[in-house]
Amino acid sequence: MCGILGVVATTPVNQLLYDGLMVLQHRGQDAAGIATAEGNTFHMHKGPGLVRDVFRTRNMRALPGNIGIGHVRYPTAGSAYNFAEAQPFYVNSPFGIVLGHNGNLTNTQQLQEEMFRLDRRHINTNSDSEVLLNVLAHELQACAHGFDLDVDSIFQAVAGVHRRCRGAYAVVVIIAGYGLLAFRDPHGIRPLVYGTNETPEGTEYLVASESVALDTLGFSVVRDVEPGEAIFIDFNHQLHTRQCAQQPVYSPCIFEYVYLARPDSVIDGVSVYETRLRMGQHLADKVKLNLPVDEIDVVIPIPDSSRPSAMELAQTLGIPYREGFVKNRYIGRTFIMPGQSTRKKSVRQKLNTVREEFRGKRVLLVDDSIVRGTTSREIVEMARAAGALKVYFASAAPPVRFPNVYGIDMPTRGELIATGRSDEEIAREIGADGLVYQDIDSLKTSVRELSDRISSFDASCFDGCYVTGDISPEYLDEIEAARNGTPKKDSEDGGASQQMHLNLMSEQA
Ligand SMILES: O=P(O)(O)OC[C@H]1O[C@H](OP(=O)(O)OP(=O)(O)O)[C@H](O)[C@@H]1O
Ligand SMILES: NC(=O)CC[C@H](N)C(=O)O
Ligand SMILES: [Mg+2]
């Protein structure tokens, strides 16, 4: 899950995009980029690191124009250390096009071969997003009337992308001289929402991964982009929308509600915060059946993401809720960091115990999820070191047992602590005296009972059901073998990438 933004405004958008990316930083910490359009010319700056590290004043000044897109990256394809894969991506034919993508294609290899053999296009990185951009460019070429592109042709091109691409994609695109295009895959796996801001000079439009970006930038939410739908805002600020998929099905990723999104966002009409409260309620019911609730002195959340669920769980069980861990506000999210050694070290740097909350107590620690077990292993040990008599653990999500192929970087079963282990074995592995996981049905209920639109979910990392229907055991074996063969995230390689980094930091399209 990356963060994407697109804007058509009446005044320069560089600062607005920067501020918006800061608000979406929790969706990607490895690279950031902005592309703006001024007439037919693009200006682009992208590079490795957090938003605040990538953009200096001189870079911001070099991003003029009233229309633009932005991206924060959490890689799922290619490498965290290949900065040529930072987004937006750019092609110059058949039109100037820049693109930012959140998600992950599952037929990248096949598309890459087609690109070379049939479309005669060169792909320069291992990023699926570069492939996606070239598919779109090819479809635009096929649908355009010579040099002219009209709204119908643009929507036909998106329909072509839907026919050829599999997997998850929420996308923002600028077509030079035409306007801002945004679309979502036919299952709506990754989120995308748009809104407006009325100014004396006309209506401004903002498209973003999460509604929190619209709130902070002063835009009013209009609605989510529907699965399979495309919206196009032309340079005259006219909005055009069309369903471009044959059989769209609302199947958003349930892990957005568990962890990925900010709690103050509303995704597909559902408040993320509210779903986390419900997860806490349902989890409390299961805790009652499985742990000695009467003996638990205190419920302690693992900051940040578990807080709403932990608070509601404590309230439901009638047990005091206390903040036993203090979070270093200067350390980012651990789960989306590249490299297991960095993640492990970061948990200790990020969280420290308030000893009084643990000394002589039987504590129930609550987290939103346990994925690799990096956090829970460390946290249980820290709770004991702080003097806890008993340490129980509850997870607001079910065990993560299956790889995610739709934009969350958990591609190998071997790295998931729950793969091949029972709940008791996992409890032993993390050193807890007892462990309770949310049931998958309760998790789905926590979201579904707040929505009249969502018919199904992508919950593949919990139940192994892949909504796009194209994921075979052989495919999973292949990506697992590829990852195990090339330890992409764990090689903390600096040298070659540094060079790339320097080149890219001065890139101007
Ligand atoms: O089992 P693991 O592999 O450790 O992954 C799960 C943990 O990672 C996430 O926290 P993170 O620190 O990324 O972000 P947060 O501050 O939003 O909770 C999540 O909230 C869990 O705490
Ligand atoms: N997490 C994402 O959305 C990643 C986008 C894209 N697949 C990349 O690796 O850059
Ligand atoms: Mg966490």
Side-chain angles (χ1 to χ4, degrees):
M1 51 112 202
C2 301
I4 57 173
L5 272 179
V7 63
V8 177
T10 53
T11 53
V13 290
N14 50 357
Q15 191 62 44
L16 184 138
L17 285 166
Y18 179 94
D19 295 344
L21 290 182
M22 289 292 277
V23 173
L24 296 179
Q25 186 78 81
H26 62 284
R27 298 186 67 85
Q29 301 172 158
D30 284 5
I34 290 178
T36 55
E38 199 187 26
N40 283 341
T41 307
F42 288 130
H43 304 275
M44 180 152 70
H45 179 75
K46 57 183 183 177
L50 299 172
V51 176
R52 63 162 188 249
D53 301 322
V54 171
F55 298 95
R56 298 268 164 251
T57 309
R58 63 178 178 278
N59 310 128
M60 295 296 287
R61 283 208 193 103
L63 291 167
N66 295 358
I67 176 168
I69 60 174
H71 190 268
V72 282
R73 183 174 191 230
Y74 159 61
T76 55
S79 157
Y81 302 99
N82 185 351
F83 300 121
E85 291 164 357
Q87 300 192 34
F89 274 106
Y90 166 70
V91 284
N92 62 4
S93 172
F95 306 94
I97 309 172
V98 283
L99 171 144
H101 166 217
N102 173 207
N104 192 60
L105 300 187
T106 52
N107 62 338
T108 309
Q109 208 182 335
Q110 177 205 329
L111 288 169
Q112 226 158 2
E113 283 161 18
E114 286 177 17
M115 277 290 113
F116 180 68
R117 273 190 309 109
L118 306 175
D119 300 355
R120 311 303 299 159
R121 284 176 169 273
H122 171 72
I123 304 294
N124 204 42
T125 68
N126 288 321
S127 167
D128 58 326
S129 311
E130 191 189 2
V131 174
L132 176 65
L133 168 61
N134 279 277
V135 172
L136 175 66
H138 182 82
E139 295 301 315
L140 282 168
Q141 184 158 6
C143 298
H145 312 288
F147 296 113
D148 280 334
L149 197 56
D150 56 21
V151 173
D152 277 343
S153 319
I154 292 171
F155 288 146
Q156 277 167 25
V158 175
V161 170
H162 289 333
R163 278 195 298 276
R164 289 179 71 181
C165 294
R166 295 286 165 272
Y169 47 96
V171 180
V172 285
V173 173
I174 304 175
I175 307 172
Y178 290 93
L180 173 73
L181 170 69
F183 55 92
R184 208 170 163 192
D185 68 69
H187 292 88
I189 297 175
R190 303 260 74 92
L192 198 63
V193 62
Y194 78 93
T196 54
N197 178 38
E198 298 303 333
T199 74
E201 291 75 36
T203 306
E204 300 185 319
Y205 290 88
L206 181 71
V207 193
S209 296
E210 290 185 33
S211 62
V212 63
L214 286 100
D215 297 345
T216 346
L217 298 173
F219 283 68
S220 312
V221 172
V222 174
R223 62 176 176 84
D224 297 277
V225 176
E226 300 274 314
E229 190 189 24
I231 70 170
F232 180 68
I233 301 127
D234 63 33
F235 278 178
N236 297 319
H237 294 234
Q238 289 301 310
L239 171 74
H240 310 264
T241 69
R242 188 168 306 170
Q243 178 51 257
C244 298
Q246 299 272 333
Q247 285 173 317
V249 193
Y250 236 118
S251 308
C253 168
I254 204 159
F255 207 65
E256 291 279 350
Y257 296 100
V258 170
Y259 164 73
L260 300 179
R262 264 176 58 152
D264 45 344
S265 281
V266 175
I267 293 186
D268 291 318
V270 177
S271 150
V272 174
Y273 179 76
E274 188 70 26
T275 64
R276 290 183 188 169
L277 294 183
R278 304 266 171 136
M279 288 173 211
Q281 277 168 17
H282 290 295
L283 185 59
D285 295 340
K286 193 154 173 210
V287 165
K288 260 187 239 162
L289 297 174
N290 292 280
L291 292 180
V293 170
D294 296 341
E295 294 174 14
I296 295 171
D297 299 307
V298 63
V299 169
I300 295 180
I302 300 178
D304 265 328
S305 295
S306 73
R307 279 198 176 114
S309 302
M311 195 172 63
E312 195 65 11
L313 175 141
Q315 167 96 3
T316 310
L317 294 177
I319 302 174
Y321 169 87
R322 289 283 210 274
E323 294 282 347
F325 294 99
V326 173
K327 187 184 155 201
N328 179 340
R329 67 183 72 203
Y330 300 101
I331 305 274
R333 295 184 110 181
T334 319
F335 174 69
I336 63 171
M337 286 176 182
Q340 183 59 12
S341 55
T342 315
R343 286 190 288 262
K344 194 162 184 280
K345 194 167 125 225
S346 294
V347 174
R348 291 283 178 161
Q349 287 177 336
K350 177 171 158 177
L351 297 168
N352 190 34
T353 48
V354 178
R355 300 186 85 83
E356 297 68 39
E357 292 298 352
F358 293 93
R359 197 176 300 123
K361 291 187 186 161
R362 291 156 299 190
V363 302
L364 170 57
L365 307 182
V366 179
D367 208 347
D368 53 88
S369 57
I370 304 173
V371 183
R372 299 180 179 92
T374 322
T375 309
S376 39
R377 278 190 185 104
E378 298 290 322
I379 288 292
V380 170
E381 205 178 294
M382 285 160 75
R384 291 201 196 281
L389 297 180
K390 290 269 185 195
V391 183
Y392 301 105
F393 206 101
S395 162
V400 175
R401 291 213 158 91
F402 301 90
N404 185 290
V405 294
Y406 298 133
I408 311 173
D409 186 46
M410 32 167 127
T412 64
R413 284 156 282 197
E415 71 192 273
L416 307 171
I417 193 171
T419 302
R421 289 194 178 98
S422 65
D423 291 3
E424 292 71 33
E425 286 167 334
I426 301 166
R428 263 202 302 283
E429 192 66 26
I430 65 171
D433 296 300
L435 169 64
V436 173
Y437 275 112
Q438 184 91 273
D439 291 330
I440 182 73
D441 288 341
S442 303
L443 173 62
K444 290 182 181 175
T445 304
S446 303
V447 185
R448 199 180 275 137
E449 61 193 3
L450 296 165
S451 170
D452 49 12
R453 263 194 290 174
I454 302 176
S455 43
S456 56
F457 294 100
D458 159 46
S460 49
C461 59
F462 304 119
D463 61 13
C465 299
Y466 296 90
V467 290
T468 50
D470 60 332
I471 304 303
S472 63
E474 294 73 35
Y475 175 81
L476 295 179
D477 288 345
E478 261 169 45
I479 52 171
E480 203 158 298
R483 179 59 67 92
N484 290 337
T486 47
K488 105 174 174 169
K489 300 285 177 72
D490 286 346
S491 66
E492 266 129 60
D493 153 30
S497 332
Q498 192 64 25
Q499 184 61 44
M500 187 69 82
H501 157 67
L502 291 173
N503 291 342
L504 271 167
M505 289 298 281
S506 58
E507 175 170 341
Q508 292 292 326

Coordinates of all heavy atoms in Angstrom, one line a residue, residues 18-84:
Y18 N 2.6 18.4 -1.4 CA 3.6 18.1 -0.3 C 2.8 17.9 1.0 O 3.0 16.9 1.7 CB 4.6 19.3 -0.2 CG 5.6 19.1 0.9 CD1 6.8 18.6 0.7 CD2 5.3 19.5 2.3 CE1 7.8 18.5 1.7 CE2 6.2 19.3 3.3 CZ 7.5 18.8 3.0 OH 8.4 18.7 4.0
D19 N 1.9 18.8 1.3 CA 1.2 18.6 2.6 C 0.3 17.4 2.5 O 0.2 16.7 3.5 CB 0.2 19.8 2.8 CG 1.0 21.1 3.0 OD1 2.3 21.0 3.3 OD2 0.5 22.2 2.9
G20 N -0.2 17.1 1.4 CA -1.1 15.8 1.2 C -0.2 14.6 1.4 O -0.7 13.6 2.1
L21 N 1.0 14.6 0.9 CA 1.8 13.4 1.0 C 2.2 13.2 2.5 O 2.4 12.1 2.9 CB 3.1 13.5 0.1 CG 2.8 13.4 -1.4 CD1 4.1 13.5 -2.2 CD2 2.1 12.1 -1.7
M22 N 2.5 14.3 3.2 CA 2.8 14.2 4.6 C 1.7 13.5 5.3 O 1.9 12.7 6.3 CB 3.0 15.6 5.2 CG 4.2 16.4 4.8 SD 5.7 15.6 5.4 CE 5.8 16.4 7.0
V23 N 0.4 13.8 5.0 CA -0.7 13.2 5.6 C -0.9 11.7 5.2 O -1.4 10.9 6.0 CB -2.0 14.0 5.3 CG1 -3.2 13.3 5.8 CG2 -1.9 15.4 5.8
L24 N -0.3 11.3 4.1 CA -0.4 9.9 3.6 C 0.9 9.2 3.9 O 1.1 8.0 3.5 CB -0.7 9.9 2.1 CG -2.1 10.4 1.7 CD1 -2.2 10.3 0.2 CD2 -3.2 9.7 2.4
Q25 N 1.8 9.8 4.7 CA 3.1 9.2 4.9 C 3.0 7.8 5.5 O 3.9 6.9 5.3 CB 3.9 10.1 5.8 CG 5.4 9.7 6.0 CD 6.3 10.0 4.9 OE1 6.7 11.1 4.7 NE2 6.6 9.0 4.1
H26 N 2.0 7.5 6.3 CA 1.9 6.2 7.0 C 1.6 5.1 6.0 O 1.7 3.9 6.3 CB 0.7 6.2 8.0 CG -0.6 6.5 7.3 ND1 -1.0 7.8 6.9 CD2 -1.6 5.7 6.9 CE1 -2.2 7.7 6.3 NE2 -2.6 6.5 6.3
R27 N 1.4 5.5 4.7 CA 1.1 4.4 3.7 C 2.4 4.0 2.9 O 2.4 3.1 2.1 CB 0.1 4.9 2.6 CG -1.3 5.1 3.3 CD -2.3 5.5 2.2 NE -2.6 4.3 1.3 CZ -3.5 3.4 1.6 NH1 -4.2 3.4 2.7 NH2 -3.7 2.4 0.8
G28 N 3.5 4.8 3.1 CA 4.7 4.5 2.4 C 5.9 5.4 2.9 O 5.7 6.6 2.9
Q29 N 7.0 4.8 3.3 CA 8.0 5.5 3.9 C 9.3 5.5 3.2 O 10.3 6.0 3.6 CB 8.3 5.0 5.4 CG 7.1 5.1 6.3 CD 7.3 4.4 7.6 OE1 6.6 4.7 8.6 NE2 8.2 3.4 7.7
D30 N 9.3 4.7 2.0 CA 10.6 4.4 1.4 C 11.0 5.4 0.3 O 12.2 5.7 0.1 CB 10.6 3.0 0.7 CG 10.8 2.0 1.8 OD1 10.8 2.3 3.0 OD2 10.9 0.8 1.4
A31 N 10.0 6.0 -0.4 CA 10.3 7.0 -1.4 C 9.1 7.9 -1.6 O 8.0 7.5 -1.2 CB 10.6 6.3 -2.7
A32 N 9.4 9.1 -2.2 CA 8.2 10.0 -2.4 C 8.5 10.8 -3.7 O 9.7 10.9 -4.1 CB 8.1 11.0 -1.2
G33 N 7.4 11.2 -4.3 CA 7.6 12.0 -5.6 C 6.4 12.8 -5.9 O 5.3 12.5 -5.5
I34 N 6.7 13.9 -6.6 CA 5.6 14.8 -7.1 C 5.9 15.1 -8.6 O 7.0 15.3 -8.9 CB 5.6 16.1 -6.3 CG1 5.1 15.9 -4.9 CG2 4.6 17.1 -7.0 CD1 5.1 17.1 -4.0
A35 N 4.8 15.1 -9.4 CA 4.9 15.6 -10.7 C 3.8 16.6 -10.9 O 2.7 16.4 -10.5 CB 4.7 14.4 -11.7
T36 N 4.2 17.7 -11.5 CA 3.2 18.8 -11.8 C 3.1 19.0 -13.3 O 4.1 18.7 -14.0 CB 3.5 20.1 -11.1 OG1 4.8 20.5 -11.4 CG2 3.4 19.9 -9.6
A37 N 2.0 19.6 -13.8 CA 1.9 19.9 -15.2 C 1.6 21.4 -15.3 O 0.8 21.9 -14.7 CB 0.8 19.1 -15.8
E38 N 2.4 21.9 -16.3 CA 2.2 23.4 -16.6 C 2.1 23.4 -18.1 O 3.1 23.2 -18.8 CB 3.5 24.1 -16.2 CG 3.4 25.6 -16.0 CD 4.8 26.1 -15.7 OE1 5.8 25.5 -16.2 OE2 4.9 27.2 -15.1
G39 N 0.9 23.6 -18.6 CA 0.6 23.5 -20.0 C 0.9 22.1 -20.4 O 0.5 21.1 -19.8
N40 N 1.8 21.9 -21.4 CA 2.2 20.6 -21.9 C 3.4 20.0 -21.2 O 4.0 19.0 -21.6 CB 2.3 20.6 -23.4 CG 1.0 20.6 -24.1 OD1 0.0 20.2 -23.4 ND2 0.9 21.0 -25.3
T41 N 4.0 20.8 -20.3 CA 5.3 20.4 -19.7 C 5.1 19.8 -18.3 O 4.4 20.3 -17.5 CB 6.2 21.6 -19.6 OG1 6.3 22.2 -20.9 CG2 7.6 21.2 -19.1
F42 N 5.8 18.7 -18.1 CA 5.8 18.1 -16.7 C 7.0 18.5 -16.0 O 8.1 18.7 -16.6 CB 5.8 16.6 -16.8 CG 4.6 15.9 -17.2 CD1 4.6 14.9 -18.2 CD2 3.4 16.2 -16.6 CE1 3.4 14.3 -18.6 CE2 2.2 15.6 -17.0 CZ 2.2 14.6 -18.0
H43 N 6.9 18.7 -14.7 CA 8.0 18.9 -13.8 C 7.9 17.8 -12.7 O 6.8 17.6 -12.2 CB 7.9 20.3 -13.1 CG 7.8 21.4 -14.1 ND1 8.9 22.0 -14.7 CD2 6.7 22.0 -14.6 CE1 8.5 22.9 -15.5 NE2 7.2 23.0 -15.5
M44 N 9.1 17.2 -12.4 CA 9.0 16.0 -11.5 C 10.2 16.0 -10.6 O 11.3 16.3 -11.0 CB 8.9 14.7 -12.3 CG 8.8 13.5 -11.4 SD 8.0 12.2 -12.2 CE 9.1 11.7 -13.4
H45 N 9.9 15.7 -9.4 CA 11.0 15.4 -8.4 C 10.6 14.2 -7.6 O 9.5 14.2 -7.0 CB 11.3 16.6 -7.6 CG 12.4 16.4 -6.6 ND1 13.7 16.4 -7.0 CD2 12.4 16.1 -5.3 CE1 14.5 16.1 -5.9 NE2 13.7 15.9 -4.9
K46 N 11.6 13.3 -7.5 CA 11.3 12.1 -6.6 C 12.6 11.6 -6.1 O 13.7 11.8 -6.6 CB 10.5 11.0 -7.4 CG 11.2 10.5 -8.7 CD 10.4 9.5 -9.4 CE 11.1 9.0 -10.7 NZ 10.3 8.0 -11.3
G47 N 12.5 10.8 -5.0 CA 13.7 10.3 -4.4 C 13.4 9.4 -3.2 O 12.3 9.3 -2.8
P48 N 14.5 8.8 -2.6 CA 14.3 7.9 -1.5 C 14.0 8.7 -0.2 O 14.5 9.8 0.0 CB 15.6 7.2 -1.4 CG 16.6 8.2 -2.0 CD 15.9 9.0 -3.0
G49 N 13.3 8.0 0.7 CA 13.1 8.6 2.0 C 11.7 9.1 2.3 O 10.8 9.0 1.5
L50 N 11.6 9.8 3.4 CA 10.4 10.4 3.8 C 10.1 11.7 3.0 O 11.1 12.3 2.6 CB 10.4 10.7 5.3 CG 10.6 9.5 6.3 CD1 10.8 10.0 7.7 CD2 9.4 8.6 6.2
V51 N 8.9 12.1 3.0 CA 8.5 13.3 2.2 C 9.4 14.5 2.6 O 10.0 15.2 1.8 CB 7.0 13.6 2.5 CG1 6.6 14.9 1.8 CG2 6.1 12.5 2.0
R52 N 9.6 14.7 3.9 CA 10.3 15.8 4.4 C 11.8 15.8 4.0 O 12.5 16.8 3.9 CB 10.2 16.0 5.9 CG 10.8 14.8 6.7 CD 11.0 15.2 8.2 NE 11.7 14.1 8.7 CZ 11.2 13.2 9.6 NH1 10.0 13.4 10.1 NH2 12.0 12.2 10.1
D53 N 12.3 14.6 3.7 CA 13.7 14.4 3.3 C 13.9 14.6 1.8 O 15.0 14.9 1.3 CB 14.3 13.1 3.8 CG 14.2 12.9 5.3 OD1 14.4 13.9 6.0 OD2 13.9 11.8 5.7
V54 N 12.8 14.2 1.1 CA 13.0 14.2 -0.4 C 12.9 15.6 -1.0 O 13.6 15.9 -2.0 CB 11.9 13.3 -1.0 CG1 11.8 13.4 -2.5 CG2 12.1 11.9 -0.6
F55 N 12.1 16.5 -0.4 CA 11.8 17.8 -1.0 C 12.5 18.9 -0.2 O 12.2 19.1 1.0 CB 10.3 18.1 -1.1 CG 9.6 17.1 -1.9 CD1 9.0 15.9 -1.4 CD2 9.6 17.2 -3.3 CE1 8.3 15.0 -2.2 CE2 8.9 16.3 -4.1 CZ 8.3 15.2 -3.6
R56 N 13.4 19.6 -0.9 CA 14.0 20.8 -0.4 C 13.3 22.0 -1.0 O 12.6 21.9 -2.1 CB 15.5 20.9 -0.7 CG 16.2 19.7 -0.1 CD 16.8 20.1 1.3 NE 17.2 19.0 2.0 CZ 16.5 18.5 3.1 NH1 15.5 19.1 3.6 NH2 17.0 17.4 3.7
T57 N 13.5 23.2 -0.5 CA 12.8 24.4 -1.1 C 13.1 24.5 -2.6 O 12.2 24.8 -3.4 CB 13.3 25.7 -0.3 OG1 13.2 25.4 1.0 CG2 12.5 26.9 -0.7
R58 N 14.4 24.2 -3.0 CA 14.7 24.4 -4.4 C 13.9 23.4 -5.3 O 13.5 23.7 -6.4 CB 16.2 24.3 -4.6 CG 16.8 23.0 -4.3 CD 18.3 22.9 -4.6 NE 18.8 21.6 -4.2 CZ 19.2 21.3 -3.0 NH1 19.1 22.1 -2.0 NH2 19.6 20.1 -2.7
N59 N 13.6 22.2 -4.7 CA 12.9 21.2 -5.5 C 11.4 21.7 -5.6 O 10.8 21.5 -6.6 CB 12.9 19.9 -4.8 CG 14.3 19.4 -4.4 OD1 14.5 19.0 -3.3 ND2 15.2 19.4 -5.4
M60 N 10.9 22.3 -4.5 CA 9.5 22.7 -4.5 C 9.3 23.8 -5.5 O 8.3 23.9 -6.2 CB 9.1 23.2 -3.1 CG 9.1 22.1 -2.1 SD 7.9 20.9 -2.4 CE 6.4 21.8 -2.0
R61 N 10.3 24.7 -5.6 CA 10.2 25.9 -6.5 C 10.2 25.4 -8.0 O 9.7 26.0 -8.9 CB 11.4 26.8 -6.4 CG 11.3 27.7 -5.1 CD 12.1 29.0 -5.3 NE 12.2 29.6 -4.1 CZ 13.3 29.6 -3.3 NH1 14.4 29.1 -3.7 NH2 13.2 30.2 -2.2
A62 N 10.8 24.2 -8.2 CA 10.9 23.7 -9.5 C 9.7 22.8 -9.9 O 9.7 22.0 -10.8 CB 12.2 22.9 -9.7
L63 N 8.6 23.0 -9.1 CA 7.4 22.2 -9.4 C 6.2 23.2 -9.7 O 5.2 23.1 -8.9 CB 7.1 21.3 -8.2 CG 8.0 20.1 -8.0 CD1 7.8 19.4 -6.7 CD2 7.9 19.1 -9.1
P64 N 6.3 24.0 -10.7 CA 5.1 24.9 -11.0 C 4.0 24.2 -11.6 O 4.1 23.1 -12.1 CB 5.7 25.9 -11.9 CG 6.8 25.2 -12.6 CD 7.3 24.1 -11.7
G65 N 2.8 24.8 -11.6 CA 1.6 24.2 -12.3 C 0.5 24.1 -11.4 O 0.7 23.9 -10.1
N66 N -0.7 24.1 -11.9 CA -2.0 24.0 -11.1 C -2.6 22.6 -11.1 O -3.7 22.4 -10.6 CB -3.0 25.0 -11.7 CG -2.6 26.4 -11.5 OD1 -1.5 26.7 -11.0 ND2 -3.4 27.3 -12.0
I67 N -1.8 21.6 -11.7 CA -2.3 20.3 -11.7 C -1.1 19.4 -11.3 O 0.0 19.7 -11.7 CB -3.0 20.0 -13.1 CG1 -3.4 18.5 -13.2 CG2 -2.1 20.3 -14.2 CD1 -4.3 18.2 -14.4
G68 N -1.4 18.3 -10.6 CA -0.3 17.5 -10.2 C -0.7 16.2 -9.6 O -1.8 16.0 -9.2
I69 N 0.3 15.3 -9.4 CA 0.1 14.0 -8.7 C 1.2 13.8 -7.7 O 2.3 14.3 -7.9 CB -0.1 12.8 -9.6 CG1 1.2 12.6 -10.5 CG2 -1.3 12.9 -10.5 CD1 1.1 11.3 -11.3
G70 N 1.0 13.0 -6.7 CA 2.0 12.7 -5.7 C 2.0 11.3 -5.3 O 0.9 10.6 -5.4
H71 N 3.1 10.8 -4.8 CA 3.2 9.3 -4.4 C 4.1 9.1 -3.2 O 5.2 9.8 -3.1 CB 3.7 8.6 -5.6 CG 3.6 7.1 -5.5 ND1 4.6 6.3 -5.0 CD2 2.6 6.2 -5.8 CE1 4.3 5.0 -5.0 NE2 3.0 4.9 -5.5
V72 N 3.7 8.3 -2.2 CA 4.6 7.8 -1.2 C 4.7 6.3 -1.4 O 3.6 5.7 -1.5 CB 4.2 8.2 0.2 CG1 4.6 9.6 0.5 CG2 2.8 7.9 0.5
R73 N 5.9 5.7 -1.4 CA 6.1 4.4 -1.8 C 6.4 3.4 -0.6 O 7.3 3.7 0.2 CB 7.2 4.2 -2.9 CG 7.3 2.8 -3.4 CD 8.3 2.7 -4.5 NE 8.2 1.4 -5.1 CZ 9.3 0.6 -5.4 NH1 10.5 1.0 -5.1 NH2 9.1 -0.6 -5.9
Y74 N 5.7 2.3 -0.6 CA 6.0 1.1 0.2 C 6.1 0.0 -0.8 O 5.1 -0.5 -1.4 CB 4.9 0.9 1.2 CG 4.7 -0.4 1.8 CD1 5.7 -1.0 2.6 CD2 3.5 -1.1 1.7 CE1 5.5 -2.2 3.2 CE2 3.3 -2.4 2.3 CZ 4.3 -2.9 3.0 OH 4.2 -4.1 3.6
P75 N 7.3 -0.5 -1.2 CA 7.4 -1.3 -2.4 C 6.9 -2.7 -2.2 O 7.0 -3.3 -1.1 CB 9.0 -1.4 -2.6 CG 9.6 -0.5 -1.6 CD 8.6 -0.2 -0.5
T76 N 6.3 -3.2 -3.3 CA 5.9 -4.6 -3.3 C 6.5 -5.4 -4.4 O 6.5 -6.6 -4.5 CB 4.3 -4.8 -3.4 OG1 3.9 -4.1 -4.6 CG2 3.6 -4.2 -2.2
A77 N 7.0 -4.6 -5.4 CA 7.7 -5.2 -6.5 C 9.0 -4.5 -6.7 O 9.2 -3.4 -6.2 CB 6.8 -5.0 -7.8
G78 N 10.0 -5.2 -7.3 CA 11.3 -4.6 -7.5 C 11.9 -4.6 -6.1 O 11.8 -5.5 -5.3
S79 N 12.6 -3.5 -5.8 CA 13.4 -3.4 -4.6 C 13.2 -2.1 -3.9 O 13.0 -1.0 -4.5 CB 14.9 -3.6 -5.0 OG 15.7 -3.0 -4.0
A80 N 13.3 -2.2 -2.5 CA 13.2 -1.0 -1.7 C 14.3 0.0 -2.0 O 14.3 1.1 -1.7 CB 13.1 -1.4 -0.2
Y81 N 15.4 -0.6 -2.5 CA 16.6 0.2 -2.6 C 16.9 0.6 -4.1 O 17.9 1.2 -4.3 CB 17.8 -0.6 -2.1 CG 17.6 -1.0 -0.6 CD1 17.1 -2.2 -0.3 CD2 17.7 0.0 0.4 CE1 16.8 -2.6 1.0 CE2 17.4 -0.3 1.7 CZ 16.9 -1.6 2.0 OH 16.6 -1.9 3.3
N82 N 16.0 0.3 -5.0 CA 16.2 0.8 -6.3 C 15.3 2.0 -6.5 O 14.1 2.0 -6.7 CB 15.7 -0.3 -7.4 CG 16.0 0.2 -8.8 OD1 16.4 1.3 -9.0 ND2 15.9 -0.7 -9.7
F83 N 16.0 3.2 -6.5 CA 15.2 4.4 -6.5 C 14.7 4.8 -7.8 O 14.0 5.7 -8.0 CB 16.1 5.5 -5.8 CG 16.4 5.1 -4.4 CD1 17.7 5.0 -3.9 CD2 15.3 4.7 -3.5 CE1 17.9 4.5 -2.6 CE2 15.6 4.3 -2.2 CZ 16.9 4.2 -1.8
A84 N 15.1 4.0 -8.9 CA 14.5 4.2 -10.2 C 13.1 3.8 -10.1 O 12.3 4.1 -11.0 CB 15.3 3.4 -11.2

